[in-house]
Amino acid sequence: MLDAIVLARAVPRWCAAMHAAAPELNALDGRLGDADLGATLDKCATLMEQALPGLPDSLEGIFKRCAQASAKASGSSFGTLLTVALMTAGKHCAGRESLSTQDVAALLSEVIATLSARGGAALGDKTVLDGLDAIQRALSGAAADAPALALAGAAVRESLDAFRDKPNRIGRARMFADKTIGLDDPGMVALQRMVDTL
């Protein structure tokens, strides 16, 4: 179950993980893009840490506060998508005190649809959406007492394996076409680092 207490405790861990993963993500992004993914998430984490004092005591409030912090970090595409995802989560959680595993799956469906509409990516393009979709499918089919985080982590890893030998089809990486075959998508790796820290 996800409630405000669980989420508030997860935010500092997420921030620490993004600081630690920044060099790796910059290096991965440098093969396909601007080499700034790690720097973007590192800055998002710093601004979220600054927002921790006085963090709201509701799921909606926490997600929206984190979205506001992320929005100040960068105009990069991934930073924008992170902000949109957090804002979408906040709106979805309005009036809710907690989310079950099935509720989280429904939230992810909404996030995926919103990000696809905003960024133009589709499932199968080898982006973070494919990792989110893998998690959504794993959670939607899970029993109520299933270990949700373990399922999510396994789903992301399986998604990385499934897409590694496919080309990126959108964003700057698409310009490298076949050269992206055999490489992990940096956004999908970032998602794995996020899930692993929760």
Side-chain angles (χ1 to χ4, degrees):
M1 182 181 71
L2 177 65
D3 59 20
I5 294 174
V6 172
L7 182 58
R9 289 174 177 168
V11 174
R13 295 199 303 273
W14 183 93
C15 293
M18 293 304 94
H19 293 317
E24 173 197 16
L25 296 177
N26 280 338
L28 288 172
D29 195 36
R31 298 176 183 175
L32 306 174
D34 295 331
D36 64 350
L37 176 58
T40 294
L41 290 174
D42 184 59
K43 189 172 182 181
C44 287
T46 296
L47 291 169
M48 286 185 195
E49 286 169 334
Q50 293 172 3
L52 286 174
L55 202 64
D57 60 359
S58 68
L59 286 171
E60 177 186 11
I62 295 170
F63 277 126
K64 287 187 175 180
R65 180 71 61 83
C66 289
Q68 291 164 356
S70 176
K72 298 175 183 177
S74 170
S76 75
S77 57
F78 198 94
T80 299
L81 293 178
L82 176 61
T83 299
V84 171
L86 291 168
M87 284 300 298
T88 301
K91 292 176 182 177
H92 184 90
C93 291
R96 298 170 182 249
E97 293 186 0
S98 64
L99 299 179
S100 67
T101 298
Q102 297 301 316
D103 292 332
V104 173
L107 167 59
L108 289 174
S109 290
E110 186 173 343
V111 167
I112 291 166
T114 302
L115 294 184
S116 179
R118 179 63 181 265
L123 294 179
D125 284 346
K126 191 176 177 181
T127 71
V128 68
L129 292 187
D130 294 299
L132 289 171
D133 179 63
I135 296 173
Q136 189 278 329
R137 287 185 284 106
L139 297 186
S140 65
D145 59 349
L149 288 177
L151 289 174
V156 175
R157 287 188 289 276
E158 290 171 6
S159 181
L160 278 165
D161 290 341
F163 279 89
R164 185 169 296 121
D165 291 329
K166 297 179 180 181
N168 286 82
R169 295 177 178 168
I170 196 167
R172 182 181 291 270
R174 77 180 186 280
M175 295 186 295
F176 295 93
D178 291 345
K179 292 183 179 179
T180 65
I181 294 174
L183 300 178
D184 287 327
D185 176 73
M188 294 175 74
V189 175
L191 178 63
Q192 181 185 17
R193 298 293 175 265
M194 293 176 192
V195 172
D196 287 347
T197 193
L198 301 177

